[in-house]
Amino acid sequence: MSKGEETKSRILYQAAELFNQQGYAGSSMSDIMRVTGLQKGGIYNHFQSKDDLALQAFDFAIAHIKQHTRLALRSKRHAVERLQAIIGVFSSFAENPPFKGGCPLLNTAVESDDAHPALRERAQQAMNSWLHLIRRIIETGIEKGEIRSEVSADEIATIIIATLEGAIMMSKLYGDSVHMHRVINYLNQYLETNL
């Protein structure tokens, strides 16, 4: 990686954490300069605008989470084990988040709802990717006879994602990962008994 690429990667990580903690609207260029240790010119050498930085920082954060997921899935073959591996990735985020401030997808989805259409679109793309992954695992599990044929892949994907994101929110709100632990236990039991 060249020095310029290293600098850009460092800016993306630091901006992703800043936006994840303070939101896009709540983060000024002064804040970005403070966390990166760079002047505006140094930041704008790599990004066209604050919007460009925000979109790339979100993509960077999501790519980081996808990498965790790929690693967790690598050795899992059975559909239920693969779903549990995804759940396990997110359970670790309650106590050891990859970015300060909680789940970048949840935070961005909430903040960008009406205020930032481009970020909202990126959050939808990331959510669609996650939904697609879970649906594909379930559909493959049905084809292999690992999951009952009457199981709705769409329904289970929604339940898993909504439950995990709610647990992240509650754990963050109360500063207590017990909410995530309860959800993990419930989801694992649900998958073992209902699929």
Side-chain angles (χ1 to χ4, degrees):
M1 191 182 296
S2 72
K3 186 173 188 226
E5 291 170 331
E6 284 180 26
T7 300
K8 183 175 182 176
S9 183
R10 183 176 55 81
I11 294 168
L12 286 170
Y13 183 83
Q14 292 165 328
E17 282 204 329
L18 177 69
F19 293 142
N20 206 38
Q21 291 173 21
Q22 294 182 195
Y24 171 78
S27 300
S28 67
M29 274 311 292
S30 296
D31 293 328
I32 297 167
M33 290 165 36
R34 178 181 45 79
V35 299
T36 62
L38 298 171
Q39 296 300 312
K40 274 186 190 178
I43 295 166
Y44 288 135
N45 279 337
H46 300 279
F47 306 96
Q48 296 174 1
S49 64
K50 181 183 168 191
D51 278 352
D52 181 39
L53 174 57
L55 293 171
Q56 288 193 48
F58 177 76
D59 290 344
F60 179 86
I62 295 303
H64 190 76
I65 292 169
K66 284 182 176 182
Q67 178 63 25
H68 279 276
T69 304
R70 277 192 294 276
L71 290 172
L73 291 174
R74 192 171 44 193
S75 64
K76 307 297 183 208
R77 298 292 167 247
H78 191 280
V80 173
E81 283 182 340
R82 291 176 65 77
L83 294 171
Q84 289 173 327
I86 291 170
I87 291 167
V89 167
F90 283 83
S91 74
S92 69
F93 291 171
E95 293 175 359
N96 188 23
F99 296 92
K100 292 177 185 172
C103 176
L105 179 52
L106 175 65
N107 293 344
T108 302
V110 170
E111 180 187 18
S112 69
D113 185 25
D114 295 318
H116 199 296
L119 268 175
R120 182 173 191 249
E121 183 178 323
R122 283 286 175 53
Q124 285 177 338
Q125 289 170 359
M127 183 63 75
N128 287 340
S129 176
W130 194 14
L131 285 165
H132 177 74
L133 172 64
I134 293 171
R135 282 193 306 256
R136 193 177 69 232
I137 290 169
I138 294 167
E139 289 164 356
T140 301
I142 291 170
E143 290 170 12
K144 290 181 172 181
E146 298 169 349
I147 293 178
R148 292 181 299 114
S149 61
E150 64 272 13
V151 168
S152 167
D154 286 329
E155 185 177 307
I156 299 301
T158 297
I159 288 168
I160 290 172
I161 293 170
T163 307
L164 286 171
E165 290 292 5
I168 290 171
M169 182 274 298
M170 289 184 71
S171 295
K172 183 91 176 114
L173 179 65
Y174 290 105
D176 189 346
S177 60
V178 69
H179 304 287
M180 178 56 81
H181 295 297
R182 289 173 181 159
V183 160
I184 296 308
N185 290 337
Y186 173 80
L187 284 175
N188 282 325
Q189 182 180 11
Y190 178 85
L191 293 177
E192 289 169 7
T193 58
N194 293 296
L195 298 193

